[in-house]
Amino acid sequence: MSWLDANLGRIGDLALTHLWLSVLPVVLGLLVAVPVGWWAQRHPRLGGVLLGSGSILYTLPSLPLLTIIPVILGTSILDPLNVVVVLSLYAVALLLRTAADAFAQLPREVVDAADATGHSTWQRALRVELPLAGPVLLAGVRVVSVSTVSLVTVGALIGVSNLGSLFTEGFQRNYTFEIVTGLVAVVLLALLLDGLWVLLGRLLLPWARTERSAA
Amino acid sequence: MSDNVFVGAGQWLTDSAHWSGTDGVPARLLEHLGYTVLTVVIAAAIALPLGLWIGHTGRLRGLAVALTGSLRALPTLGLLTLVVLWVGIGLTGPILALVVLSVPPLLAGAYAGLESVDRHTIDAARGLGFTEWQVLTRVEIPLALPLIVGGFRSAVLQVVSTATVAAYIGLGGLGTYLIEGVQIRDYPMTLAGSLVVVVLALVLDAGFALAQRSAARS
Amino acid sequence: MIEFRSVSKTFADGTTAVRDFSLVLPSRTTTVFVGSSGCGKTTLLRMVNRLVEPSSGQVLIDDVDVATRNPVELRRSIGYVMQHAGLLPHRRVVDNVAVPLRLAGVGRSEATSRALAALETVGLDPALARRYPRQLSGGQQQRVGVARGLVADPNILLMDEPFGAVDPIVRDDLQQELLRLQRELDKTIVFVTHDIDEAFLLGDQVVILRRGGEVAQVGTPAEILADPADDFVRTFVGLDKARRTLHVEERAGARIVVDGDGRPAGVLGPA
């Protein structure tokens, strides 16, 4: 326990770094994937190519990608930016499919009603399609968020500090407790972020929780 | 510096010295594939019967969903290092960890595959006098095959990726070039190793895409 | 006044929904397009607010070709009520009704109060205004749909099988409500249905269509019943069935109306 006492401050710092290394890619991924997914769903032919390349991106293993990206960007291999870029690519790859599916499965009669009541294309996209796609997008974001928190730890192997550093240090010092601490911290962080996404969903999508009354 | 690294990686890959011996690319590739096959076979022996049972009976479905979901939160590097400290250096620890990580996609593929089969088709099969076993083997599994193959696809790619990370705990395989390269700052070797892994992943994924398509057609 | 001038529509897949259709729909009357599925009645309706563009011919509102008008602005000037109400599930009932006003740039508080007034007009309990659409019954949702169609006080109201998905008792209610509203509001209503009884109940002018948007007969309900154009119309309006072929019999001093099967249908009173 004395190790934990002595290292509490450092674990806190690592957790903070880990937090922004996890949140940034998910937010960036969402910002890119939603408009592109919306567009892809309206242009099936080119959109299909786009979605296909997204899914290929997702098959690329994380550690190799973490070493290839700095060579392409010209950044130092130790730069945390590499982790953000790689994880953002994954987030885009996954959320692009989610977003395209979310927009494609909107009830036809509601979209039709939006047209019939005189929404312009933009008004329909922002006021009708985006909020209605919200629940599916949120489910996708939750999946991406959890796996991103877990993937950040791989960055420790190329020297980017985060909670994963507790694994490499614990391994080198043959200290099981440090690894277990890291595991618990990572899982807690994933749960915390998931809770925040759920909360955000309740605030932004209050209608999604209403029960259908007997008609 | 980036151009130099690319040139260096090119030179590394075209150097015949790196294509023979126990540390050569073919040997490492075989090692990597060997671990992948071993892991996925063991994982499939556990996950497929379980997943088919869950999908056929509908029992324990909530548990399976929660399990596969929460395993996603478990960082692979943490699991790998922990298992090695517990079980000791050698093959058992890393393979155990890799099996744990590849069970969820296989399980999900199996039960989601069976769930995707139209209930009316299954009712019709029962109505025609199929036994439960015949319903499973002649109706559900053939119709679920694309999703079951999809489960294998995710599991294999997951293991190929994680086995690279496992080089850190001494598993060997293609990840060795990456881990050693970073440690001794031989970035051309790291990049060369990374490119080989990427090509391997793309080839395997393309193979599975074809398999899935033919499973859907049959 | 709405006018169709030799309008045709062939869809991209080659099916012809409407062929050379011409008709005048007088202002402040209800015109009902009636026919079985595939007769092009919904296509005709959707041409009025440019949800469908004719392949040839023109649709005019008060002598202005709708093709010359901006489709979004055109739709905002016309009320539209559809079969499954088409309410936005993420907006509360009152906000759903306010949508056309908000799109027209009306401020939030004025839009809300006008929406509440529209809900009252269609006979909906104000307590339901703060609910989400899926918390309402099918009939209630349909009333909300009608309120949304009326809220911006458009001259024209398009109704696409608005009561097709509710049970018969509720449908009866909604039909009577619409008749009452039309007496008060005097809109130009274009109504689409596959139910001939609904068409005869609501329509000042009834247009019976056959496959491919061909007109079988146009007229008032009485004209059609008195002089059906051909066997298709005769069968479609049910003149070959017992319940439409009535005669009067004297029974115990009263004049009883009896149908073709001899079943009493009602009493004949003084005209």
Side-chain angles (χ1 to χ4, degrees):
Chain A
M1 273 303 142
S2 59
W3 176 85
L4 194 58
D5 289 337
N7 288 278
L8 218 49
R10 175 150 181 273
I11 295 171
D13 288 343
L14 290 175
L16 267 182
T17 314
H18 203 117
L19 185 68
W20 76 260
L21 284 177
S22 315
V23 171
L24 207 55
V26 179
V27 173
L28 285 175
L30 196 60
L31 287 180
V32 174
V34 167
V36 177
W38 180 81
W39 183 88
Q41 170 270 134
R42 286 170 70 93
H43 302 85
R45 200 167 299 169
L46 261 175
V49 175
L50 215 62
L51 294 178
S53 30
S55 68
I56 287 177
L57 198 62
Y58 195 66
T59 65
L60 302 182
S62 52
L63 182 58
L65 210 50
L66 277 171
T67 63
I68 293 172
I69 286 294
V71 183
I72 293 172
L73 296 181
T75 48
S76 151
I77 197 162
L78 298 173
D79 197 330
L81 185 66
N82 303 325
V83 176
V84 173
V85 170
V86 168
L87 296 182
S88 300
L89 288 176
Y90 284 144
V92 170
L94 243 168
L95 289 175
L96 199 55
R97 170 72 61 182
T98 310
D101 288 349
F103 288 118
Q105 53 91 50
L106 297 180
R108 262 187 54 84
E109 71 270 13
V110 175
V111 177
D112 195 37
D115 282 337
T117 44
H119 289 74
S120 69
T121 306
W122 281 112
Q123 286 170 329
R124 197 183 86 179
L126 291 176
R127 297 190 193 180
V128 180
E129 293 173 284
L130 183 59
L132 286 181
V136 177
L137 285 174
L138 179 67
V141 164
R142 289 180 62 190
V143 170
V144 173
S145 173
V146 166
S147 64
T148 303
V149 171
S150 160
L151 274 170
V152 166
T153 59
V154 176
L157 286 183
I158 52 165
V160 177
S161 289
N162 60 72
L163 287 172
S165 309
L166 299 176
F167 304 149
T168 51
E169 281 173 25
F171 181 69
Q172 277 151 15
R173 297 168 47 208
N174 208 353
Y175 188 38
T176 310
F177 184 75
E178 187 170 355
I179 297 176
V180 173
T181 306
L183 276 171
V184 171
V186 169
V187 171
L188 282 181
L189 192 66
L191 285 177
L192 175 82
L193 269 180
D194 192 52
L196 286 178
W197 284 115
V198 171
L199 201 68
L200 195 67
R202 293 208 174 162
L203 287 176
L204 293 178
L205 312 163
W207 54 274
R209 287 195 307 146
T210 53
E211 291 298 311
R212 183 184 293 270
S213 70
Chain B
M1 88 148 207
S2 61
D3 286 347
N4 289 340
V5 179
F6 265 122
V7 173
Q11 282 166 350
W12 192 97
L13 282 172
T14 48
D15 185 345
S16 63
H18 296 132
W19 289 84
S20 61
T22 52
D23 195 34
V25 172
R28 290 291 184 205
L29 182 65
L30 270 181
E31 217 178 351
H32 207 103
L33 280 174
Y35 295 145
T36 307
V37 171
L38 180 64
T39 303
V40 173
V41 167
I42 297 174
I46 302 165
L48 280 191
L50 200 60
L52 292 177
W53 181 77
I54 292 168
H56 180 74
T57 61
R59 274 179 233 170
L60 295 184
R61 192 183 170 278
L63 190 70
V65 172
L67 198 74
T68 50
S70 55
L71 268 174
R72 229 195 322 259
L74 210 58
T76 56
L77 183 61
L79 192 64
L80 284 167
T81 49
L82 187 65
V83 163
V84 171
L85 288 196
W86 271 345
V87 185
I89 298 280
L91 208 55
T92 321
I95 295 294
L96 195 69
L98 292 179
V99 167
V100 168
L101 294 170
S102 52
V103 162
L106 288 166
L107 194 68
Y111 74 72
L114 290 207
E115 277 170 7
S116 74
V117 179
D118 188 351
R119 289 292 112 188
H120 297 296
T121 311
I122 295 169
D123 279 349
R126 288 210 178 100
L128 289 172
F130 281 56
T131 65
E132 285 308 296
W133 179 251
Q134 285 169 328
V135 169
L136 180 67
T137 55
R138 299 197 194 166
V139 180
E140 289 180 304
I141 293 181
L143 289 173
L145 209 53
L147 281 178
I148 296 176
V149 175
F152 272 95
R153 185 179 181 177
S154 326
V156 164
L157 286 165
Q158 158 91 322
V159 175
V160 166
S161 173
T162 312
T164 318
V165 174
Y168 177 73
I169 54 164
L171 186 67
L174 291 167
T176 313
Y177 303 129
L178 281 71
I179 300 291
E180 276 182 11
V182 170
Q183 277 162 359
I184 61 175
R185 294 178 200 284
D186 183 352
Y187 295 129
M189 177 166 86
T190 299
L191 182 60
S194 295
L195 292 175
V196 175
V197 179
V198 164
V199 169
L200 175 65
L202 290 178
V203 168
L204 286 174
D205 189 56
F208 271 106
L210 286 179
Q212 240 174 325
R213 204 168 301 168
S214 66
R217 215 178 293 137
S218 63
Chain C
M1 183 184 77
I2 303 171
E3 185 180 357
F4 291 86
R5 270 191 204 156
S6 358
V7 167
S8 297
K9 177 65 189 182
T10 305
F11 284 106
D13 64 359
T15 52
T16 298
V18 176
R19 188 177 290 132
D20 196 25
F21 178 88
S22 296
L23 185 74
V24 172
L25 289 68
S27 292
R28 286 181 282 283
T29 62
T30 302
T31 299
V32 180
F33 291 140
V34 58
S36 28
S37 61
C39 72
K41 55 192 190 292
T42 296
T43 305
L44 285 169
L45 182 87
R46 290 165 73 90
M47 283 178 185
V48 177
N49 66 351
R50 293 190 67 185
L51 285 171
V52 171
E53 302 288 348
S55 308
S56 64
Q58 293 169 300
V59 180
L60 301 99
I61 295 176
D62 296 332
D63 298 318
V64 178
D65 187 344
V66 294
T68 62
R69 298 191 50 188
N70 175 303
V72 169
E73 278 161 26
L74 176 72
R75 286 168 204 158
R76 287 179 189 171
S77 69
I78 295 175
Y80 194 95
V81 185
M82 51 214 299
Q83 183 169 16
H84 294 285
L87 302 177
L88 307 178
H90 63 296
R91 301 272 181 81
R92 295 178 193 277
V93 164
V94 62
D95 298 326
N96 258 289
V97 176
V99 160
L101 297 173
R102 298 288 293 149
L103 286 173
V106 176
R108 179 173 291 278
S109 61
E110 192 199 332
T112 302
S113 61
R114 282 173 66 183
L116 287 171
L119 284 171
E120 210 181 306
T121 310
V122 300
L124 208 68
D125 185 351
L128 299 177
R130 300 288 300 160
R131 300 231 183 131
Y132 287 104
R134 71 169 73 169
Q135 295 170 307
L136 267 54
S137 71
Q140 290 168 330
Q141 291 189 25
Q142 221 47 61
R143 282 178 197 262
V144 178
V146 175
R148 181 176 67 182
L150 291 172
V151 72
D153 198 22
N155 292 324
I156 297 173
L157 191 60
L158 306 178
M159 306 186 85
D160 185 8
E161 300 206 38
F163 311 141
V166 293
D167 68 73
I169 297 171
V170 178
R171 188 183 313 148
D172 243 33
D173 246 23
L174 290 167
Q175 287 167 347
Q176 293 306 324
E177 195 79 23
L178 183 64
L179 285 172
R180 178 185 66 78
L181 279 173
Q182 176 62 349
R183 278 193 297 271
E184 284 173 16
L185 302 173
D186 248 5
K187 303 289 182 196
T188 305
I189 297 179
V190 190
F191 194 104
V192 160
T193 180
H194 59 262
D195 177 356
I196 188 66
D197 293 319
E198 188 169 64
F200 283 167
L201 176 68
L202 300 175
D204 300 310
Q205 172 174 249
V206 173
V207 183
I208 297 178
L209 295 157
R210 37 175 151 235
R211 269 197 168 283
E214 236 177 278
V215 178
Q217 189 167 4
V218 180
T220 64
E223 284 165 2
I224 291 173
L225 279 175
D227 185 19
D230 55 19
D231 283 346
F232 174 82
V233 175
R234 200 185 314 276
T235 312
F236 192 83
V237 302
L239 280 174
D240 57 341
K241 293 202 180 65
R243 70 186 174 86
R244 280 257 196 262
T245 45
L246 309 172
H247 63 276
V248 178
E249 287 179 11
E250 296 275 344
R251 296 259 179 94
R255 293 198 293 166
I256 306 280
V257 180
V258 178
D259 73 13
D261 288 333
R263 287 197 192 86
V267 184
L268 202 63

